[in-house]
Amino acid sequence: MHREIPSSNYVHKRRTSKLERLSKKHPFLCVGLPFLMAVIGGTFVLLPLQQTKYEVNDRKVQSVSLEKLQSMKKKKKFDIQEEYFKMKAEGVWGEWEPKRVARPPEEEPVWDRQDGSKNSV
């Protein structure tokens, strides 16, 4: 009994068809599993990089010198009332009064128009 050996082309077609059948039967194995592995693997790769970034930033924040810290404490806090009275004493507030600035007609809102025409924008 002589048995024929299948040609290489026939074997290649059978392997491809097995893969196709497997992917059609279990699409998660061919698409979902590689995607999840990439996401989870990326997390483990990016975690040390992100940790290094925050450590470098912490070193910058902690490297403030003692002199600079003392000069920051010596600065006077801003007080709005004190600034108001200082400007009033200097005469900056003397002749100021609020006035409406004239706008071009195309920018003026419809409800503020004196002539009653509507904006054609």
Side-chain angles (χ1 to χ4, degrees):
M1 294 198 165
H2 182 48
R3 191 170 174 178
E4 281 188 40
I5 300 173
S7 68
S8 62
N9 192 15
Y10 176 74
V11 172
H12 179 70
K13 285 182 182 177
R14 270 187 79 188
R15 286 184 185 160
T16 306
S17 64
K18 283 183 182 180
L19 287 174
E20 286 177 6
R21 277 187 270 142
L22 182 66
S23 66
K24 287 179 182 177
K25 194 173 185 180
H26 305 287
F28 178 77
L29 292 176
C30 296
V31 179
L33 190 61
F35 175 73
L36 287 177
M37 288 174 59
V39 170
I40 293 170
T43 304
F44 287 113
V45 170
L46 292 176
L47 187 66
L49 296 174
Q50 190 176 13
Q51 186 176 3
T52 305
K53 177 182 119 177
Y54 287 121
E55 287 173 358
V56 168
N57 192 22
D58 286 344
R59 280 191 221 124
K60 284 181 184 178
V61 170
Q62 290 175 357
S63 67
V64 175
S65 67
L66 185 60
E67 297 168 3
K68 194 171 185 180
L69 188 62
Q70 288 174 347
S71 69
M72 288 170 65
K73 285 183 180 180
K74 289 181 183 177
K75 284 186 180 178
K76 196 173 184 180
K77 296 245 181 187
F78 179 77
D79 185 22
I80 190 97
Q81 287 181 339
E82 186 177 322
E83 289 296 318
Y84 169 74
F85 289 123
K86 189 189 310 180
M87 289 175 78
K88 198 170 184 182
E90 291 173 0
V92 178
W93 290 98
E95 300 174 12
W96 183 84
E97 83 179 56
K99 289 186 180 177
R100 179 180 165 97
V101 177
R103 289 194 232 172
E106 62 270 0
E107 290 183 12
E108 191 171 335
V110 175
W111 55 85
D112 285 347
R113 294 238 171 136
Q114 300 296 327
D115 60 354
S117 64
K118 291 194 173 187
N119 216 355
S120 61
V121 175

